[in-house]
Amino acid sequence: MSDDVSRDFIRKIIYDDLESGKHDEIVTRFPPEPNGYLHIGHVMSICLNFGVAAENDGRTFLRYDDTNPGKEDEVFVRAIESDVHWLGFDWADRLTHASDYFERLYESGEKLVELGLAYVDSLSADEIREHRGTLTECGRNSPFRDRSVGENMDLFRRMRAGEFVDGVHVLRAKIDMASPNMNLRDPALYRIRHISHQHTGDAWCIYPMYDFAHTLSDAFEGITHSLCTLEFEDHRPLYDWFLDNLKPPHRPRQIEFSRLNLAYAITSKRKLGVLIDNKVVSGWDDPRMPTIAGMRRRGYPAAALRNFVKRGGVTKKDKLIEMGVLENSVREILGEVAERRMAVLRPLKVVLTNYPEGRVEMMQAMNHPNRPELGKREVPFSREIWIERDDFMEDAPRKFFRLKPGGEVRLRSAYIIRCDEVVKNDAGEIVELRCSYDADTRSGTGTSDRKIKGTIHWVSGDQALPATVRLYDRLFTVPDPNTVDDIMDVLNPDSLATVEAKLEPSLASLEPGEAVQFERLGYFCQDAHDNSKDSLVFNRIVTLRDSWARIEKQAMRGQT
RNA sequence: UGGGGCGUAGCCAAGUGGUAAGGCAACGGGUUUUGAUCCCGUGAUUCGCAGGUUCGAGUCCUGCCGCCCCAGCCA
């Protein structure tokens, strides 16, 4: 790790701990609960935890926080593993579960009972809530708080043995019902749940709570720095309480950082689920979803996600990062890597009246203008071609330098053409352009070096490949849908548009997962689920930067 | 109104007593057979606000304001 880069506050702490000899090795963990798919917020946590360890030759555990069998599912487990791997991180043999430690956790529960620091409470959930007090009023002690160590031990063991039905008892830490920190008002440690667990089956009918299980799992694994988000800051005194009283051999330190929020997106598993349930999206991996699976299917490169996170930084300040930062990270990688191709999304027919019928020329097109080593490909050219409807304007403003009546434009990697005639149907809609080409201007070999301001893309009519192209946009109309009462009220109706496009023939042999740039339009890839040889389906990953769109927008604003 | 955090440019973010880095966005210009890429240039007399300490404060002190989190047998 380079020293000239200023370190974030967590890396500073870690560096100091290494420097001072407090730790010889850094050990971190990424602890997802297998109850949903990983999203952009998790990407930050994954990059931080795995990144900070890797930078210091440390180790990172992928540990499932599977303490609530009612909410967790095996299907999420597999998705989580493939997502983390795809992002570029590896846990080697350090794949663990909080449930791996259920026996040791139980022993720690008994130890707390022995120490007189935990008791079995027999109040109902409602009664416990009533006793807890409020933010401004102290709680009251449970009438069962002073049970003897012996009675507590007996009850706790019988809880484990399955003698009680759900909810009749709970093991609680005995801390302070008057604490201004709600987490210290005798938090629950164990609850009874006669449910089988996706990993331990029916071995248990009592399950540990998050604070207890998480703290001790960290300690058992020798985690040195337990990095979590800000909402757990209030839990740190409890985290330290467990450590102080149970005195495990390793003492991890919890450090909190702020979550990464992405503008116009949602990062709540519950709300993401609402989108799926209401059929707003097709599933967890819908390309509009801010899930890792969705972004991957959309075509975002893993490296772009990693760079994006790096740009955000690690702090304790609430942040809402603009979508543009993510998109730019994607463009940055794809601009370098993606080969160029031509495709017409909204086709307008052009007939070159002076081009021989039946003739087909193969034009040479660069695969990447800035990387000649990526070579060239052949693109067929003929009398009838498709161009983008947006590239023609009948009444064009002065600054529009694409095609207009009587005007000239260069066809990328081919000839310069002039628009001679606009053909319309009875409804007055433009259905065809009749143009003439300048035979001297063939790309590369042309004898003419006439300068033409505009260059547009095209696809040869006869050889064009039909394809369905999905154009994605943000899912919401407001920057912070997380704060809205009902996300269904702020859905962007145009988050998905589908067009029937014309592609250049070489696109038939694209590798699955390979992103290409459709010149002048954006980056695209075949959809992992719906694309097939017989019916091509492409996803738009992200548009190119479009300064013409910006000019148009400004003009609009000027008019109104 | 209890407790815990956080406030530096539109969005992120360095800075830890010596006179406000950087990225993204925006704007201006150059190159260009992608209105892309690339290149160059332009932003904070000011760091939530008000006082105070100091030769000197974003950095220290005091007060105030604003935003976020906490009352699951969820994580």
Side-chain angles (χ1 to χ4, degrees):
Chain A
M1 150 170 216
S2 53
D3 289 336
D4 53 332
V5 176
S6 65
R7 272 179 271 261
D8 58 69
F9 81 101
I10 288 178
R11 276 178 244 254
K12 273 180 194 134
I13 290 170
I14 285 172
Y15 183 86
D16 288 347
D17 287 348
L18 248 15
E19 185 98 304
S20 70
K22 178 177 178 185
H23 297 295
D24 298 325
E25 187 189 24
I26 299 305
V27 186
T28 58
R29 101 272 92 114
F30 172 61
E33 184 189 11
N35 68 343
Y37 274 59
L38 263 21
H39 55 64
I40 187 71
H42 294 109
V43 173
M44 172 174 185
S45 179
I46 293 167
C47 289
L48 213 213
N49 278 296
F50 280 92
V52 98
E55 286 158 21
N56 296 290
D57 300 311
R59 295 176 291 141
T60 303
F61 284 79
L62 170 57
R63 181 177 72 226
Y64 292 109
D65 239 327
D66 56 350
T67 55
N68 191 357
K71 290 188 176 176
E72 295 148 10
D73 200 301
E74 186 66 30
V75 303
F76 298 121
V77 169
R78 278 187 292 277
I80 287 168
E81 284 164 44
S82 82
D83 285 348
V84 175
H85 266 151
W86 174 79
L87 247 195
F89 298 101
D90 188 51
W91 51 86
D93 59 349
R94 294 175 290 278
L95 177 65
T96 58
H97 306 74
S99 57
D100 295 339
Y101 312 121
F102 276 178
E103 190 62 44
R104 294 169 77 182
L105 254 10
Y106 173 79
E107 287 163 13
S108 298
E110 284 203 352
K111 186 171 174 195
L112 248 17
V113 169
E114 248 168 54
L115 292 168
L117 294 174
Y119 62 99
V120 172
D121 197 352
S122 307
L123 250 24
S124 70
D126 284 344
E127 289 167 325
I128 286 181
R129 189 181 322 119
E130 282 161 25
H131 279 74
R132 188 156 28 231
T134 68
L135 295 178
T136 52
E137 297 161 42
C138 291
R140 285 142 44 218
N141 286 171
S142 163
F144 301 101
R145 199 175 197 260
D146 295 317
R147 287 216 258 228
S148 69
V149 167
E151 190 183 359
N152 283 320
M153 191 65 84
D154 175 61
L155 252 13
F156 186 40
R157 286 177 178 162
R158 289 164 61 198
M159 278 169 65
R160 173 181 185 170
E163 290 187 27
F164 309 111
V165 297
D166 291 6
V168 310
H169 300 301
V170 63
L171 184 73
R172 289 229 259 171
K174 190 189 283 192
I175 307 179
D176 178 10
M177 289 306 291
S179 173
N181 181 343
M182 300 298 279
N183 295 298
L184 265 20
R185 319 246 264 227
D186 290 10
L189 266 27
Y190 268 95
R191 73 288 218 191
I192 301 171
R193 283 263 192 291
H194 288 268
I195 311 181
S196 70
H197 184 279
Q198 46 98 4
H199 195 242
T200 60
D202 296 317
W204 295 86
C205 63
I206 58 172
Y207 292 97
M209 298 292 290
Y210 163 82
D211 290 292
F212 186 63
H214 193 86
T215 306
L216 293 176
S217 298
D218 282 348
F220 296 157
E221 291 175 349
I223 303 299
T224 53
H225 302 269
S226 182
L227 314 178
C228 63
T229 43
L230 244 33
E231 66 269 29
F232 293 103
E233 204 150 25
D234 285 347
H235 294 239
R236 184 158 21 99
L238 179 55
Y239 189 95
D240 290 335
W241 185 89
F242 289 129
L243 264 15
D244 290 342
N245 293 107
L246 259 4
K247 300 181 173 59
H250 293 283
R251 188 182 172 103
R253 196 235 278 212
Q254 174 178 301
I255 304 170
E256 313 82 14
F257 58 90
S258 61
R259 301 177 91 104
L260 181 163
N261 294 298
L262 180 62
Y264 295 98
I266 252 173
T267 45
S268 143
K269 287 178 192 170
R270 207 202 93 245
K271 290 182 180 176
L272 254 15
V274 169
L275 295 179
I276 295 169
D277 295 342
N278 287 304
K279 306 265 190 270
V280 173
V281 296
S282 62
W284 287 100
D285 68 345
D286 185 288
R288 290 165 291 179
M289 292 284 265
T291 51
I292 296 180
M295 294 187 289
R296 172 186 189 176
R297 182 172 165 196
R298 174 81 169 260
Y300 287 7
L305 259 26
R306 283 186 241 115
N307 289 346
F308 167 66
V309 160
K310 203 175 295 170
R311 287 199 167 117
V314 181
T315 65
K316 300 188 71 157
K317 193 159 76 176
D318 290 337
K319 54 182 122 202
L320 212 209
I321 301 181
E322 291 172 341
M323 190 66 109
V325 180
L326 209 208
E327 293 183 335
N328 197 61
S329 299
V330 172
R331 289 189 189 106
E332 209 171 85
I333 299 290
L334 260 19
E336 182 67 17
V337 161
E339 290 200 356
R340 272 95 271 210
R341 294 291 184 270
M342 287 198 285
V344 174
L345 263 25
R346 294 177 174 92
L348 172 60
K349 187 175 175 183
V350 169
V351 178
L352 302 173
T353 52
N354 61 339
Y355 195 88
E357 294 207 34
R359 180 170 166 193
V360 176
E361 278 182 90
M362 297 309 284
M363 313 306 287
Q364 302 290 307
M366 299 270 288
N367 284 329
H368 191 123
N370 309 335
R371 296 178 62 192
E373 75 276 15
L374 292 180
K376 295 182 173 182
R377 67 188 187 285
E378 293 196 318
V379 186
F381 183 82
S382 62
R383 190 169 194 265
E384 290 190 4
I385 59 173
W386 299 107
I387 68 165
E388 207 69 59
R389 292 202 92 95
D390 283 353
D391 285 338
F392 175 78
M393 269 187 107
E394 202 168 14
D395 298 305
R398 191 160 196 83
K399 283 198 267 186
F400 183 83
F401 43 84
R402 278 117 88 161
L403 199 56
K404 49 192 155 191
E408 282 189 314
V409 75
R410 165 134 237 148
L411 293 178
R412 168 127 253 226
S413 306
Y415 298 98
I416 292 172
I417 62 170
R418 172 190 306 279
C419 176
D420 303 316
E421 189 187 345
V422 180
V423 182
K424 296 183 183 176
N425 62 15
D426 294 342
E429 296 159 341
I430 299 169
V431 293
E432 179 183 314
L433 261 25
R434 299 185 72 81
C435 303
S436 48
Y437 86 112
D438 180 344
D440 276 345
T441 56
R442 177 170 166 154
S443 189
T445 61
T447 54
S448 167
D449 57 352
R450 287 166 56 200
K451 287 283 176 196
I452 293 291
K453 184 66 175 162
T455 299
I456 64 172
H457 59 277
W458 53 276
V459 170
S460 177
D462 284 344
Q463 294 82 3
L465 253 33
T468 297
V469 178
R470 295 167 176 167
L471 309 173
Y472 297 107
D473 199 357
R474 57 188 54 154
L475 268 171
F476 300 99
T477 54
V478 295
D480 196 356
N482 281 309
T483 62
V484 169
D485 291 333
D486 186 356
I487 55 171
M488 297 302 287
D489 292 342
V490 292
L491 290 175
N492 174 9
D494 304 316
S495 63
L496 169 60
T498 302
V499 295
E500 293 308 315
K502 306 289 186 184
L503 314 183
E504 67 165 78
S506 72
L507 254 1
S509 55
L510 201 60
E511 294 291 320
E514 181 185 355
V516 291
Q517 183 192 105
F518 287 174
E519 293 208 62
R520 303 208 309 129
L521 297 172
Y523 298 95
F524 296 76
C525 66
Q526 291 173 341
D527 185 76
H529 293 353
D530 302 327
N531 181 73
S532 72
K533 257 206 174 77
D534 307 319
S535 116
L536 299 173
V537 178
F538 278 77
N539 294 332
R540 181 171 70 195
I541 303 167
V542 65
T543 62
L544 248 35
R545 264 215 192 81
D546 187 352
S547 52
W548 171 246
R550 229 183 296 141
I551 292 167
E552 274 188 313
K553 207 178 282 177
Q554 282 171 1
M556 296 268 279
R557 244 182 268 133
Q559 278 169 18
T560 51

